[in-house]
């Protein structure tokens, strides 16, 4: 099913991006980056976030900083990206 009409991204594309990425995408922006595009109208962001959460499963919601699926594990990289973009 197409979840982003602007970029013609399917739910399968989102799941593949989440499962194939070395650094697990936790946000729609990170998924767009993995797929080599960017958000246009933004209507799909909520759906993409739901697919990400579903693809990462229960582990992503409950595991600690040592797990690559955890939010805590993804945060340092997000700050590093911001620092690189700011310089």
């Amino acid at each position: 099913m197409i979840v982003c009409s602007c970029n013609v991204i399917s739910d399968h594309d989102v799941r593949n991006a989440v499962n194939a990425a070395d650094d697990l995408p936790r946000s729609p922006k990170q998924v767009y980056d993995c797929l080599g595009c960017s958000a246009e109208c933004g209507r799909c962001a909520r759906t993409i976030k739901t697919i990400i959460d579903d693809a990462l499963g229960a582990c992503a919601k409950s595991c600690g900083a040592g797990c690559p699926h955890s939010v805590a594990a993804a945060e340092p990289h997000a700050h590093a990206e911001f620092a690189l973009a700011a310089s």
Side-chain angles (χ1 to χ4, degrees), residues 29-62:
K29 182 190 180 322
Q30 291 171 324
V31 168
Y32 282 122
D33 290 345
C34 287
L35 296 172
C37 58
S38 61
E40 298 295 324
C41 73
R43 284 186 245 166
C44 58
R46 198 175 292 185
T47 302
I48 290 175
K49 179 62 175 147
T50 300
I51 295 168
I52 292 168
D53 292 344
D54 182 54
L56 293 177
C59 176
K61 296 175 187 163
S62 64

Side-chain angles (χ1 to χ4, degrees), residues 66-79:
C67 178
H69 300 130
S70 72
V71 173
E75 286 175 357
H77 180 70
H79 294 297

